């Protein structure tokens, strides 16, 4: 169940963010110049910070808590190379963000928090607000736990960036390094310097089926002459439901006939479900009913990795293409009704 932060907890967060604004870290750092802060000896607990605003259009701090979240950042930076839409990459971010934007960007609830705290923002790029981004959900206001964590993250960043600035640090960001700030477990001592990023390419895994009986059945399915298109796409719309703590942004798993563009199957996934697994299940279910297609076309390496074992087992050609005409057409018609 969702718990909202108290006004005192919001006050602490707004004060920390305001102090960061006064430091103007975007004067020195680009959004790909990463600061990494961790407490203790476990590198997996590193919190990564991306600073927005060097170009002067959008000021903000994006906080990625841990390796899995940082991996979503790399998806965003590499989405063009992987032929992912910017929308797909944005809606698969896992972060906590503060923005200095315009009044109309804030929800009524966010404006009420600003008013209750007594801040009087004026003009462009001056309205401070916060968002929680999580795959399967629409960006939304922070809950109590996120407010408390974000305040601590920004306080840590304040200390780290102050040292970065005072030390006049020269970090080889372009070479895959980050400015590292390491606290002891009790946070009474710290060290800082230059360290390599834990990884510099988006990491995605192959879906592995371990059910030998299922693999045996798939290998015996008759071969057809048709071709399929397969993809996963987020709806890009907020879906409110009492069973969710915040608005969902469900992803849809889609199969079409590559020759006719006809929709064969699609499934709306729950926010916490893996839409790529859902896509694999659609493909398997269709193969078991209609036989194996001669070819499945995908548009990116993530879907390709998910379907690779299935295609190898069924002797299906798996081909990556720039555009999926059938799915693109279906998607355009879907968006007209949102």
């Amino acid at each position: 169940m969702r718990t909202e932060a108290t006004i005192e907890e919001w006050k602490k967060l707004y004060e920390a963010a305001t102090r960061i604004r006064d430091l103007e870290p975007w004067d020195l750092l680009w959004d790909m110049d990463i600061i990494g802060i961790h407490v203790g000896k476990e590198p997996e607990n590193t919190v990564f910070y991306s600073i927005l605003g060097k170009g002067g259009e959008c000021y903000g701090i994006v906080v990625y808590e841990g390796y899995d979240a940082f991996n979503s950042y790399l998806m965003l930076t590499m989405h063009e190379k992987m032929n992912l839409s910017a929308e797909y990459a944005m809606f698969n971010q896992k972060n906590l963000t503060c923005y200095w934007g315009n009044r109309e960007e804030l929800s009524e609830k966010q404006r009420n928090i600003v008013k209750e705290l007594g801040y009087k923002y004026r003009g462009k790029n001056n309205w401070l607000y916060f968002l929680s981004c999580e795959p399967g959900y629409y960006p939304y206001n922070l809950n109590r736990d996120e407010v408390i964590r974000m305040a601590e993250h920004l306080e840590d960043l304040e200390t780290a960036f102050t040292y970065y600035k005072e030390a006049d640090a020269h970090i080889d960001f372009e070479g895959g390094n980050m400015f590292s700030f390491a606290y002891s477990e009790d946070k009474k001592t710290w060290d800082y310097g230059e360290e390599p990023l834990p990884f510099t390419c988006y990491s995605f895994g192959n879906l592995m089926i371990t059910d030998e009986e299922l693999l045996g059945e798939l290998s015996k399915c008759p071969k057809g002459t048709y071709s399929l298109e397969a993809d996963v796409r987020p709806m890009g719309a907020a879906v409110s439901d009492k069973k969710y703590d915040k608005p969902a942004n469900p992803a849809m798993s889609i199969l079409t006939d590559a020759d006719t563009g006809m929709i064969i199957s699609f499934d709306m996934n729950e926010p916490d479900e893996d839409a790529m697994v859902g896509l694999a299940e659609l493909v398997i279910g269709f193969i078991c009913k209609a036989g194996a297609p001669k070819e499945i076309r995908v548009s990116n390496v993530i879907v390709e990795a998910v379907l690779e074992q299935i295609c190898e087992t069924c002797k299906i050609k798996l081909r990556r293409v720039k555009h999926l005409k059938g799915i693109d057409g279906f998607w355009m018609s879907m968006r007209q009704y949102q």
Side-chain angles (χ1 to χ4, degrees):
M1 180 177 294
R2 182 181 176 88
T3 303
E4 301 295 342
T6 66
I7 196 63
E8 287 302 315
E9 289 163 341
W10 276 113
K11 180 181 179 182
K12 184 178 180 181
L13 174 55
Y14 267 77
E15 288 176 345
T18 300
R19 293 195 302 271
I20 294 289
R21 175 69 186 255
D22 292 339
L23 290 174
E24 298 182 322
W26 36 79
D27 283 352
L28 295 179
L29 298 171
W30 293 93
D31 58 348
M32 296 184 69
D33 297 343
I34 300 298
I35 292 178
I37 300 177
H38 65 266
V39 179
K41 297 180 180 180
E42 299 298 329
E44 293 82 2
N45 296 331
T46 301
V47 177
F48 302 90
Y49 299 77
S50 173
I51 312 298
L52 309 179
K54 183 71 167 174
E57 293 187 4
C58 176
Y59 299 100
I61 311 293
V62 188
V63 178
Y64 296 90
E65 301 173 293
Y67 282 10
D68 186 46
F70 183 64
N71 196 40
S72 75
Y73 164 80
L74 292 175
M75 176 196 287
L76 184 61
T77 63
M78 298 179 65
H79 76 273
E80 291 183 351
K81 292 182 179 179
M82 296 192 293
N83 200 35
L84 297 170
S85 69
E87 182 181 60
Y88 182 92
M90 286 297 297
F91 284 128
N92 277 281
Q93 290 298 286
K94 187 177 182 180
N95 62 50
L96 302 176
T97 301
C98 71
Y99 288 112
W100 285 269
N102 304 323
R103 186 183 187 279
E104 60 269 20
E105 296 172 22
L106 281 69
S107 67
E108 182 180 358
K109 187 170 187 177
Q110 290 166 335
R111 289 195 294 270
N112 288 339
I113 291 170
V114 170
K115 183 178 180 181
E116 189 171 355
L117 289 172
Y119 288 100
K120 299 183 183 299
Y121 300 123
R122 295 288 185 274
K124 184 179 179 181
N125 293 334
N126 281 319
W127 288 76
L128 175 60
Y129 66 102
F130 299 85
L131 288 175
S132 169
C133 297
E134 182 181 1
Y137 294 91
Y138 207 78
Y140 197 62
N141 207 33
L142 275 58
N143 63 29
R144 181 173 185 262
D145 184 55
E146 291 168 334
V147 167
I148 293 170
R149 296 202 320 265
M150 188 63 161
E152 183 176 355
H153 294 327
L154 293 186
E155 288 171 351
D156 289 345
L157 177 62
E158 179 185 8
T159 303
F161 181 73
T162 299
Y163 274 87
Y164 174 85
K165 194 172 182 179
E166 291 179 352
D168 192 23
H170 296 280
I171 308 298
D172 183 15
F173 292 116
E174 292 185 3
N177 291 342
M178 67 179 179
F179 178 68
S180 173
F181 197 89
Y183 283 105
S184 61
E185 289 285 358
D186 57 10
K187 277 198 166 184
K188 291 183 178 179
T189 60
W190 55 81
D191 194 10
Y192 60 90
E194 182 173 13
E195 285 185 14
L197 290 166
F199 44 94
T200 57
C201 291
Y202 177 70
S203 175
F204 55 90
N206 292 61
L207 179 67
M208 296 303 298
I209 301 170
T210 57
D211 187 331
E212 294 297 332
E213 184 176 348
L214 173 59
L215 290 172
E217 290 178 4
L218 288 173
S219 67
K220 298 174 184 176
C221 285
K223 305 298 186 289
T225 58
Y226 58 91
S227 298
L228 299 179
E229 292 179 350
D231 204 7
V232 166
R233 302 195 179 184
M235 287 297 297
V239 178
S240 297
D241 193 299
K242 291 181 180 179
K243 63 183 178 181
Y244 308 137
D245 288 339
K246 54 186 177 181
N249 179 21
M252 185 178 288
S253 306
I254 312 169
L255 279 183
T256 67
D257 185 294
D259 298 318
T260 66
M262 183 181 69
I263 296 298
I264 293 175
S265 183
F266 65 88
D267 188 25
M268 192 78 73
N269 297 274
E270 290 292 316
D272 296 323
E273 291 179 337
D274 189 327
M276 291 296 174
V277 172
L279 179 63
E281 290 174 346
L282 283 184
V283 172
I284 290 171
F286 186 76
I287 290 173
C288 290
K289 290 180 181 179
K294 65 177 181 181
E295 179 179 89
I296 297 180
R297 299 171 193 170
V298 300
S299 64
N300 63 74
V301 293
I302 300 176
V303 176
E304 183 179 39
V306 166
L307 300 182
E308 187 174 25
Q309 184 190 20
I310 297 171
C311 290
E312 287 181 355
T313 301
C314 298
K315 302 296 188 293
I316 301 168
K317 181 180 180 181
L318 182 59
R319 184 157 69 99
R320 189 157 22 114
V321 297
K322 187 71 174 177
H323 300 288
L324 299 170
K325 295 181 180 179
I327 291 179
D328 289 346
F330 167 72
W331 201 245
M332 287 180 64
S333 65
M334 282 277 296
R335 301 305 289 269
Q336 292 177 1
Y337 297 99
Q338 289 187 12

